[in-house]
Amino acid sequence: MAKGSNQKLKLMYLFKILMENTDETHSISMSDILLKLKDYGITAERKSIYNDLESLRQYGVDIVGVQRDRTYYYNVANRQFELAELKLLVDSVQSAKFLTTKKSNELIKKIEGLASKYEASKLQRQVYVTKRVKTMNESIYYNVDNIHTAIAGNRQIRFQYFQWNIKKKMELRHNGEYYRVSPWALSWDDENYYLVAYDDTEKIIKHFRVDKMLHIEITEDKREGKECFSEFDMAVYARKVFGMYSGKEERVKIHCENALAGVIIDRFGKDIIIVPDGDEHFNVNVNVVVSKQFIHWIMALGDGATIVSPQYVVDDVKEEIKRLCEQYNV
């Protein structure tokens, strides 16, 4: 058998050919396999390909051979990711605000590489990244990597934080002074990526949009706030916090119409205790971080939801209503 320059890579190229050109509904003949190998500078006999196919099967690749007329056709029947799962990954990348358009397209291209060329074309038809609202901070990947490194190394970080001004320019907050915090978790909330950290100066937990962090540096100082995070559950915490805005955590009682049961469960989970109050209403006590965002979430539910206690939260609602009336000259 003649030897091509890439002969030692024959098995790897065979795997590549099968993964790119076959799936559950598309197969390839032995003749086409030999031709495609030849394009890679590899010559082979049919018998050697049969042996290679068997080696791939033993490795765990689900290769199926089916005879049609006098020709055998081969395909990879099952892959690590099903097409529906790849579509879900593409949707997640598309909807992630914290990813730039460029980085989103790069990731989607890599996801397409997990499918055959036929399935990849189906993924391409659902790509609508260019008109999505996306971050403009290309350093997001490095930010996430630095934060994970700091968490793993039990180290504090320092960074600058910015906001957009009316001229659509980056404007550093705190006059450009560096923030110094102890990173403990990352959370994806409302299509944005947030750092959850402990501020030792103010002795509170704070949140920062990862795509608005600049020049992250890992310091030699060990993290603070261990006692706050010793039993920290990110999923439970996310249910309490609205829009990732900080505030005082409080046990709040809400009076709701029965029709809002699904809304309350979707927000706070099935572990809450719903207490019927008459035939058309119920009461529920939930732990929330009280902020204007929480108050406006309640307001958005209309007359179907009313905060009952504690009184200072009820007073905060009244003050916000008063402020809105003044703002709109009601």
Side-chain angles (χ1 to χ4, degrees):
M1 181 178 68
K3 301 292 183 180
S5 59
N6 292 331
Q7 206 68 31
K8 292 182 179 180
L9 301 176
K10 177 162 66 75
L11 187 63
M12 297 178 68
Y13 278 118
L14 175 60
F15 178 66
K16 185 174 187 290
I17 289 167
L18 290 168
M19 294 298 287
E20 288 181 351
N21 296 275
T22 76
D23 50 44
E24 288 185 346
T25 57
H26 297 86
S27 56
I28 188 171
S29 67
M30 178 61 71
S31 297
D32 286 336
I33 289 175
L34 293 173
L35 286 173
K36 289 185 178 298
L37 282 172
K38 194 172 182 179
D39 290 338
Y40 290 116
I42 297 171
T43 56
E45 296 176 349
R46 289 174 179 261
K47 184 177 180 181
S48 71
I49 301 301
Y50 295 142
N51 292 334
D52 290 338
L53 289 171
E54 185 57 34
S55 295
L56 289 173
R57 288 191 184 101
Q58 291 179 10
Y59 178 70
V61 184
D62 187 13
I63 300 173
V64 176
V66 178
Q67 184 176 6
R68 293 199 293 270
D69 297 328
R70 294 185 177 183
T71 303
Y72 262 91
Y73 293 86
Y74 302 89
N75 70 292
V76 177
N78 292 307
R79 294 168 176 262
Q80 186 173 6
F81 291 95
E82 297 177 6
L83 181 59
E85 294 172 330
L86 294 178
K87 287 181 177 179
L88 181 62
L89 291 175
V90 168
D91 285 341
S92 298
V93 170
Q94 288 178 168
S95 63
K97 285 183 178 180
F98 60 83
L99 294 174
T100 63
T101 298
K102 177 184 175 184
K103 193 59 69 176
S104 294
N105 285 324
E106 289 176 357
L107 275 175
I108 290 170
K109 193 68 179 176
K110 291 178 180 179
I111 293 172
E112 290 174 1
L114 299 172
S116 71
K117 62 183 181 182
Y118 308 103
E119 292 182 334
S121 65
K122 296 177 182 178
L123 293 174
Q124 291 167 4
R125 282 198 291 271
Q126 66 173 39
V127 173
Y128 304 102
V129 172
T130 54
K131 293 185 179 180
R132 294 278 183 125
V133 176
K134 289 284 190 176
T135 182
M136 288 172 273
N137 183 5
E138 193 66 35
S139 65
I140 179 77
Y141 264 31
Y142 307 104
N143 288 356
V144 172
D145 185 54
N146 281 332
I147 291 169
H148 277 301
T149 300
I151 291 174
N154 194 35
R155 292 290 185 267
Q156 294 184 27
I157 61 173
R158 64 193 297 265
F159 56 91
Q160 290 177 304
Y161 203 54
F162 76 88
Q163 61 190 6
W164 298 106
N165 61 25
I166 59 174
K167 295 180 180 180
K168 303 179 183 178
K169 302 291 184 181
M170 286 185 182
E171 185 177 83
L172 293 178
R173 301 182 67 173
H174 286 188
N175 295 318
E177 291 184 16
Y178 275 77
Y179 291 72
R180 190 184 189 95
V181 299
S182 298
W184 285 93
L186 286 164
S187 175
W188 188 355
D189 185 83
D190 193 26
E191 299 183 356
N192 289 309
Y193 218 177
Y194 291 90
L195 163 66
V196 182
Y198 182 76
D199 186 322
D200 184 47
T201 303
E202 299 184 34
K203 308 297 182 184
I204 59 173
I205 295 174
K206 287 186 175 181
H207 317 106
F208 300 90
R209 281 266 299 272
V210 177
D211 59 300
K212 293 188 175 183
M213 298 168 66
L214 296 172
H215 311 127
I216 297 178
E217 299 173 8
I218 301 174
T219 74
E220 294 300 319
D221 299 315
K222 290 188 177 181
R223 291 185 298 173
E224 301 287 347
K226 183 177 180 180
E227 60 283 356
C228 293
F229 289 88
S230 58
E231 298 181 359
F232 185 78
D233 187 320
M234 192 66 237
V236 173
Y237 183 74
R239 290 201 298 264
K240 300 176 184 177
V241 181
F242 285 74
M244 297 305 286
Y245 282 86
S246 301
K248 180 183 177 183
E249 184 173 332
E250 188 64 79
R251 185 80 168 167
V252 177
K253 181 177 181 180
I254 309 172
H255 180 71
C256 301
E257 292 180 352
N258 290 343
L260 291 178
V263 175
I264 298 299
I265 291 172
D266 285 342
R267 176 70 213 195
F268 299 104
K270 286 187 175 181
D271 293 336
I272 59 172
I273 298 175
I274 293 177
V275 181
D277 186 1
D279 296 331
E280 299 179 355
H281 295 83
F282 66 89
N283 293 318
V284 61
N285 291 287
V286 293
N287 292 324
V288 301
V289 173
V290 178
S291 64
K292 279 191 176 181
Q293 284 64 36
F294 165 65
I295 290 173
H296 282 275
W297 183 79
I298 290 292
M299 288 180 173
L301 299 179
D303 58 5
T306 304
I307 296 175
V308 178
S309 65
Q311 186 59 45
Y312 87 86
V313 179
V314 176
D315 292 339
D316 285 347
V317 175
K318 292 178 179 178
E319 284 297 318
E320 183 61 11
I321 293 171
K322 180 181 178 182
R323 186 192 66 77
L324 288 170
C325 287
E326 293 173 353
Q327 180 177 339
Y328 290 96
N329 298 319
V330 176

